[in-house]
Amino acid sequence: MRPARPVRQPAAARLEGTRRPAAHTRTAPRGHRSGTRMSQADVAGLTGVSEGWYRALETGAPREFSDAFLLRVAEALQLSETENLTLFLGVSGRRPPVSGTHDGLPTAAPATVTLLEHQAPHPAYLSDAAWNILAANSPMTEWFPFALGPRPNLMRWALTSAEAREQILDWEDTCARTYLPMLRVASHGAPKNAEIRALIDEIPDTNGTCRRIWAEQHAVVEHPGGHRLRLRLPCHGGVETRVTSHVLVPAEQPDVRFVIVTTVD
């Protein structure tokens, strides 16, 4: 006999039922006496939804709760960062959205940026789901100066710039036929990501070889850890350099890639 499936107690009920705090004067809903514990109706009022909708959250009823609503709940209940994570994972299976942004992009955690600098002399960088470079260490910007430009994007540089086609040897086989399948996977994994959609529209239009490969090849690649490239860069005096990339994911920011480039003898 198959073991009985465990009954999952709603994560929201575990948090909300015990964490509804006493309302302060600043946050107390209209008609609620400050200093007394808030009811479901009180929290519903603070989050801008009906009492029934909020009750569905606490009872674990299946609903499509938005990130914005869950963030309002976390604020109303004064949840800690760990409790907020528990709420999101238990209710939606998603992590909370990254709160900090800069120029429309996620902000890399300071500790992760510090770790990035410690990878020298190896080039290393952080990128988001659409390959926008969020931070890069000094060797990375020396090897690949495009990373210093405004809103640098690895995929756009590698697949549309003449510089990349000149500096990455065997560009079509080792770069285009690996990066385009990565883009295809990303389009399925994040169909609502406007920046990934823009790359898919732009790259084949800009580069005829990419347009041909995109039409004829349907391979998929997620993270090409250990992917090798042969480079001929100005900072190396034009001498061929063989490298491999290592793709890591920070636990605190799972939508960010931590990439280290090492040389291969």
Side-chain angles (χ1 to χ4, degrees), residues 72-189:
R72 292 197 301 272
V73 169
E75 181 179 3
L77 298 178
Q78 304 169 21
L79 299 185
S80 67
E81 184 176 342
T82 301
E83 289 171 331
N84 188 28
L85 173 63
T86 303
L87 172 66
F88 267 80
L89 292 178
V91 171
S92 68
R94 305 184 300 272
R95 297 179 68 92
V98 177
S99 57
T101 61
H102 175 68
D103 196 23
L105 302 178
T107 301
T112 308
V113 175
T114 300
L115 183 62
L116 194 73
E117 294 296 340
H118 285 303
Q119 303 311 308
H122 305 300
Y125 64 91
L126 301 174
S127 71
D128 66 6
W131 291 275
N132 293 302
I133 293 182
L134 308 177
N137 67 3
S138 297
M140 178 68 187
T141 58
E142 180 183 357
W143 285 36
F144 304 100
F146 85 91
L148 291 170
R151 291 182 67 92
N153 183 281
L154 177 72
M155 193 69 71
R156 183 175 286 112
W157 175 81
L159 294 178
T160 67
S161 72
E163 181 181 69
R165 292 194 296 276
E166 178 181 344
Q167 295 178 2
I168 302 174
L169 305 182
D170 299 324
W171 173 85
E172 178 175 341
D173 290 333
T174 64
C175 178
R177 291 187 178 275
T178 297
Y179 283 17
L180 286 169
M182 291 167 58
L183 194 56
R184 194 182 299 278
V185 169
S187 70
H188 292 295

Side-chain angles (χ1 to χ4, degrees), residues 15-265:
L15 285 175
E16 279 83 333
T18 58
R19 285 283 294 142
R20 275 187 244 130
H24 301 292
T25 302
R26 181 175 57 85
T27 59
R30 179 178 297 178
H32 183 93
R33 189 156 50 90
S34 178
T36 60
R37 188 168 178 268
M38 291 193 294
S39 66
Q40 289 182 344
D42 293 330
V43 182
L46 287 174
T47 55
V49 298
S50 69
E51 183 179 352
W53 185 262
Y54 178 75
R55 185 182 300 114
L57 177 68
E58 284 204 9
T59 58
R63 296 286 190 278
E64 289 295 329
F65 298 109
S66 69
D67 287 357
F69 168 62
L70 294 178
L71 288 173
R72 292 197 301 272
V73 169
E75 181 179 3
L77 298 178
Q78 304 169 21
L79 299 185
S80 67
E81 184 176 342
T82 301
E83 289 171 331
N84 188 28
L85 173 63
T86 303
L87 172 66
F88 267 80
L89 292 178
V91 171
S92 68
R94 305 184 300 272
R95 297 179 68 92
V98 177
S99 57
T101 61
H102 175 68
D103 196 23
L105 302 178
T107 301
T112 308
V113 175
T114 300
L115 183 62
L116 194 73
E117 294 296 340
H118 285 303
Q119 303 311 308
H122 305 300
Y125 64 91
L126 301 174
S127 71
D128 66 6
W131 291 275
N132 293 302
I133 293 182
L134 308 177
N137 67 3
S138 297
M140 178 68 187
T141 58
E142 180 183 357
W143 285 36
F144 304 100
F146 85 91
L148 291 170
R151 291 182 67 92
N153 183 281
L154 177 72
M155 193 69 71
R156 183 175 286 112
W157 175 81
L159 294 178
T160 67
S161 72
E163 181 181 69
R165 292 194 296 276
E166 178 181 344
Q167 295 178 2
I168 302 174
L169 305 182
D170 299 324
W171 173 85
E172 178 175 341
D173 290 333
T174 64
C175 178
R177 291 187 178 275
T178 297
Y179 283 17
L180 286 169
M182 291 167 58
L183 194 56
R184 194 182 299 278
V185 169
S187 70
H188 292 295
K192 295 183 180 180
N193 189 309
E195 294 204 66
I196 293 175
R197 189 74 252 167
L199 289 172
I200 292 173
D201 292 339
E202 174 188 343
I203 289 171
D205 283 346
T206 304
N207 185 286
T209 302
C210 289
R211 182 165 58 250
R212 170 175 54 81
I213 294 173
W214 186 264
E216 71 183 18
Q217 177 179 309
H218 298 283
V220 290
V221 174
E222 187 172 16
H223 297 304
H227 180 228
R228 295 192 176 191
L229 290 172
R230 294 165 52 230
L231 305 174
R232 185 171 288 134
L233 305 175
C235 66
H236 297 155
V239 175
E240 180 179 323
T241 304
R242 299 187 180 193
V243 301
T244 186
S245 60
H246 311 271
V247 183
L248 310 175
V249 178
E252 67 274 17
Q253 287 187 288
D255 293 332
V256 170
R257 303 182 185 98
F258 189 119
V259 184
I260 308 167
V261 179
T262 59
T263 56
V264 179
D265 293 333

